[in-house]
Amino acid sequence: MSAIDSLPPLREVIETHQLLARKSLGQNFLLDLNLTAKIARQAGDLRECDVLEIGPGPGGLTRGLLAEGARRVLAVEKDSRCIPALAEISNAYPGRLQVIEGDALEVNPLTHLTPPIRIAANLPYNVGTELLVRWLTPKAWPPFWQSLTLMFQREVAERIVAQPGSKAYGRLALLAQWRADARIVLSLPPEAFSPPPKVHSAVVHLKALEAPRYPANAGTLNKVVAAAFNQRRKMLRASLKSVSPDIEDHLKAVGIPPTERAEQVGLEAFCALARSLKPLD
């Protein structure tokens, strides 16, 4: 019996189902159920919420979310080896866990969820950033989710909360802080995982704002900041030439020096630039 429920400890689950983490799937499993419950608590009061979890693996965070009172958890898992272990959790929490076997980049979870909805996940490293950008850049806002409680490599987490002028500042910071309040709520050492990754990890909590901080077209802003930071050592008039042939005129019109570099430009200015351009969805 584990510390948070009547199911076996995670090491035993992994041994029983022979769930060695696969590097090709970006897997690093959390084994400490007290820690997974602590991560679940960072998502807030879940008793009246459905929770979307991506990449549950053997179900450590899944059990934490359920033990902390989540109304329902929808877990999307690509690795078929994990499905029997997740089925055992479903049996222990009748009617509160639904598992979909599939690729999170292709599955539409909304047909299986009832608002209010929160997302909590130890995201697989190879899809984490792409999923975050998708969740932050829907055409309509507010989004389907109230908050995101996500684990990343520490370096990625720092990029999400970074400020202008810092080395970590870039596309993720701009997109995250445009429509959400973002903060790092937990740090985790490599030894918390199996197998231990080479880097530290961190949990980021993002709370959706009712409206973006500044008006802008999501697709346009995403493409502008992606181009700007793809060549961050270049002046903006060069790095954004692919976005618009007359980009220098747009930069001057919104008060951004064309010779400026992306890391020196704040969110409000990038949003003004995006508004000055034709929508780039």
Side-chain angles (χ1 to χ4, degrees), residues 195-230:
K198 295 180 180 179
V199 296
H200 282 65
S201 299
V203 177
V204 182
H205 181 75
L206 300 100
K207 182 179 179 181
L209 299 173
E210 290 187 8
R213 285 191 162 86
Y214 308 103
N217 175 277
T220 305
L221 181 63
N222 186 20
K223 289 185 179 180
V224 165
V225 297
F229 286 96
N230 187 45

Side-chain angles (χ1 to χ4, degrees), residues 39 65 71 117-118 128 130 134 157 159 177 237 258 261 279:
I39 294 169
L65 293 166
R71 180 176 66 191
I117 299 164
R118 300 184 187 181
E130 182 172 351
R134 288 189 184 189
R159 285 162 51 198
Q177 296 169 40
R237 66 185 178 193
R261 288 177 171 79

Side-chain angles (χ1 to χ4, degrees), residues 10-37:
L10 277 175
R11 287 190 184 277
E12 185 177 322
V13 172
I14 289 171
E15 290 175 4
T16 299
H17 296 280
Q18 299 182 340
L19 296 178
L20 293 177
R22 287 180 174 171
K23 188 175 182 180
S24 62
L25 295 175
Q27 293 174 328
N28 293 95
F29 299 145
L30 272 172
L31 299 182
D32 185 339
L33 287 166
N34 289 313
L35 184 54
T36 63

Side-chain angles (χ1 to χ4, degrees), residues 245-259:
D246 56 350
I247 193 63
E248 191 162 345
D249 293 336
H250 288 279
L251 289 165
K252 290 177 180 177
V254 298
I256 302 174
T259 56

Side-chain angles (χ1 to χ4, degrees), residues 132-145 178-179 218-219:
L132 175 61
V133 170
R134 288 189 184 189
W135 291 328
L136 290 171
T137 56
K139 291 183 179 180
W141 197 267
F144 73 88
W145 51 269
W178 176 45
R179 285 173 155 177

Side-chain angles (χ1 to χ4, degrees), residues 3-5 33 37 40 61-70 73 93 96:
I4 65 170
D5 56 29
L33 287 166
L61 180 56
T62 314
R63 289 164 64 176
L65 293 166
L66 292 166
E68 290 298 317
V73 174
Y93 292 92
R96 294 177 58 201

Side-chain angles (χ1 to χ4, degrees), residues 1 8 10 31 41-44 50 71 80 90 117 126 143-144 179 186-187 200 202 227 241-242 244 254-256 259:
M1 183 182 296
L10 277 175
L31 299 182
R41 288 194 290 273
Q42 302 305 315
D50 279 10
R71 180 176 66 191
S80 61
S90 182
I117 299 164
N126 53 359
F144 73 88
R179 285 173 155 177
L186 280 177
S187 295
H200 282 65
K241 201 71 175 176
S242 62
S244 174
V254 298
I256 302 174
T259 56

